[in-house]
Amino acid sequence: MEDPRVAPRSMRYRFEHTVDERAIDAYGHVNNIVYIEWVLEAASQHSRAAGWDEPRYLRENGAWIIRRHEIDYLRQAREGDSLVIETWIESYTRITALRVTELRTPLGEVVCRCKTTWVYVARDTLRPARIPESLRSDFEAIAVE
């Protein structure tokens, strides 16, 4: 029997990004904070692709807040490098989602891997709330490449 907390792998969301000069720090490579910005952007794009844009979250009185980031910086990326950014929900609890985001070279070498624990909250109280089944099913229904 499948574990209901484990999300299907088919829900991955992927897009390409070219590193521009604004992402580069004094050491000539992508600043670590920029990777976090890309991780957040990937989550936002994935959510919109699943039909959960900001107006939908407002209607549902829901929001996600970050409890934890775990980031592994494995390779350097420099200005002009092409990256493939891929994100997916690895697992759920009643109120959390564990999202994985990987940034890879076009050859598949992992540059950065981030695991983020998101907590679903009621927007009006900012207190943890049960993740709606409709949200889970909408995320499971998409596969954007």
Side-chain angles (χ1 to χ4, degrees):
M1 185 167 155
E2 287 188 19
D3 185 338
R5 296 169 297 170
V6 177
R9 300 288 280 186
S10 64
M11 60 177 286
R12 291 177 175 228
Y13 180 85
R14 178 183 303 146
F15 64 99
E16 294 182 14
H17 180 77
T18 301
V19 178
D20 65 31
E21 66 183 30
R22 295 172 297 189
I24 305 304
D25 64 16
Y27 303 106
H29 59 75
V30 173
N31 186 295
N32 292 358
I33 291 298
V34 174
Y35 287 106
I36 294 172
E37 292 172 359
W38 292 340
V39 164
L40 296 176
E41 179 59 28
S44 293
Q45 284 190 33
H46 189 198
S47 190
R48 287 191 300 272
W52 286 81
D53 57 7
E54 192 59 26
R56 173 88 182 264
Y57 283 109
L58 284 169
R59 283 192 309 275
E60 301 285 340
N61 188 40
W64 291 102
I65 58 172
I66 295 170
R67 176 180 289 163
R68 181 173 197 263
H69 281 302
E70 178 184 328
I71 305 173
D72 295 313
Y73 301 100
L74 303 169
R75 292 183 173 0
Q76 295 182 16
R78 300 185 181 283
E79 184 177 350
D81 286 355
S82 293
L83 297 174
V84 176
I85 302 174
E86 186 171 30
T87 189
W88 64 94
I89 306 295
E90 187 169 274
S91 62
Y92 293 103
T93 68
R94 190 174 62 81
I95 63 169
T96 66
L98 178 62
R99 175 181 288 280
V100 178
T101 305
E102 289 184 346
L103 293 84
R104 293 186 306 279
T105 68
L107 297 176
E109 300 166 313
V110 177
V111 174
C112 177
R113 180 179 298 116
C114 181
K115 291 186 175 187
T116 305
T117 303
W118 293 83
V119 178
Y120 193 77
V121 298
R123 189 179 285 268
D124 57 353
T125 63
L126 296 181
R127 296 187 55 87
R130 180 179 290 277
I131 299 170
E133 283 302 317
S134 59
L135 186 147
R136 289 185 193 213
S137 63
D138 287 345
F139 272 84
E140 292 167 6
I142 68 166
V144 178
E145 307 235 1

